[in-house]
Amino acid sequence: SSPWRAQGACRGASRARWAPRPFSFSQPMMKWRPMAPFLALLLAAALWPAAGLSLRSSEAAGGDHVCPVTLPTKEGDTGQEPYFKELHTALVEGNGVLEGAQNASSQEYYVKTFEDELNCLYAIMLSEKCGGLPSKHATRQEPWETACLDPKADLLDAYDLMDAAEQKYFHLFKKEASDRQIYATYLELAGYKELVCIYMKTVDDDCLAFKKPRFLPPGYWHKQGELTGKK
């Protein structure tokens, strides 16, 4: 049975948890003054961590987040947890001249803060055998890194690397995740570029035939950076 349904059955009719929405400039505020745009940027920056912390606090208030799938999904597979750790680190810190999530950005903060939730979604993918789709490592390794580890690349750059079957699976997977408040909150705050990237890399590593993600050596990107003048 689906791990999503199993989780719902365990919770029964428990009340939905309330999570505050992030600050929006569309909300009514005091009259704007000449310095308002500058002050608004400062306020938004200050609220990035506050939004994440309040969300995690409200989740804990109603009971800790419980993942419906426990790693490893296969008995004796000791590589699944360190694999995710290394993949998550790459999404945050990058590889070579590719910096991962933009340093000191709200995106970097959310990807770090919601590491456990991303780990759970990864575990569910593994339990579903990644939709049974074949690896595209041979043709997608370099495009994956430029789309997933370069902060200038956006969601569509990553999403367009998936074929129709992968997009179909991912759409259904994301829809199921969005029915749970904690995942819906993460997706609303950070978007789902990193989740797309986790899914593709997991598929390309044969869901999961390798103990660590297969990345290009950092020297490859340093050399590319020298050729393009990027440091």
Side-chain angles (χ1 to χ4, degrees):
S1 63
S2 166
W4 298 112
R5 288 195 292 274
Q7 185 181 34
C10 290
R11 289 182 174 175
S14 61
R15 63 182 179 84
R17 300 188 183 101
W18 176 85
R21 300 179 68 83
F23 173 78
S24 169
F25 290 114
S26 63
Q27 295 170 356
M29 291 185 67
M30 67 184 72
K31 290 183 180 180
W32 293 107
R33 300 182 185 276
M35 288 292 290
F38 174 72
L39 293 174
L41 288 174
L42 291 178
L43 179 59
L47 286 174
W48 289 340
L53 288 172
S54 62
L55 290 165
R56 300 304 293 271
S57 297
S58 67
E59 178 73 6
D64 289 338
H65 166 255
V66 177
C67 186
V69 173
T70 302
L71 291 175
T73 58
K74 293 186 291 186
E75 186 175 354
D77 191 338
T78 59
Q80 290 183 354
E81 292 187 71
Y83 179 99
F84 175 80
K85 278 284 187 187
E86 190 164 335
L87 177 53
H88 182 264
T89 297
L91 291 171
V92 173
E93 298 181 4
N95 182 23
V97 296
L98 302 175
E99 68 174 291
Q102 186 174 356
N103 292 336
S105 67
S106 60
Q107 188 72 12
E108 181 183 63
Y109 176 79
Y110 292 135
V111 174
K112 285 180 171 180
T113 299
F114 287 85
E115 179 179 356
D116 289 346
E117 286 72 25
L118 287 170
N119 186 30
C120 178
L121 294 170
Y122 156 82
I124 293 171
M125 289 176 188
L126 293 184
S127 74
E128 297 179 348
K129 302 187 185 333
C130 303
L133 298 171
S135 169
K136 295 183 182 296
H137 174 77
T139 58
R140 194 158 59 185
Q141 183 178 23
E142 182 177 321
W144 183 93
E145 295 201 20
T146 56
C148 293
L149 304 183
D150 187 343
K152 293 177 182 166
D154 61 19
L155 166 63
L156 288 179
D157 292 318
Y159 187 83
D160 287 346
L161 294 178
M162 296 192 292
D163 64 24
E166 290 171 329
Q167 290 176 1
K168 181 179 179 181
Y169 170 83
F170 184 82
H171 174 74
L172 293 173
F173 181 86
K174 180 173 73 72
K175 184 176 182 298
E176 292 276 10
S178 297
D179 288 340
R180 272 64 182 178
Q181 181 61 58
I182 189 65
Y183 305 128
T185 297
Y186 169 78
L187 294 172
E188 182 179 347
L189 289 169
Y192 53 94
K193 175 184 170 181
E194 282 75 18
L195 190 57
V196 166
C197 293
I198 289 169
Y199 174 60
M200 285 192 291
K201 181 55 71 177
T202 306
V203 167
D204 289 349
D205 283 340
D206 295 317
C207 200
L208 210 56
F210 299 86
K211 293 191 180 298
K212 57 173 59 179
R214 291 182 288 176
F215 298 127
L216 289 163
Y220 175 89
W221 290 113
H222 285 302
K223 185 174 181 61
Q224 294 298 311
E226 290 171 5
L227 293 173
T228 61
K230 183 177 181 179
K231 296 181 180 180

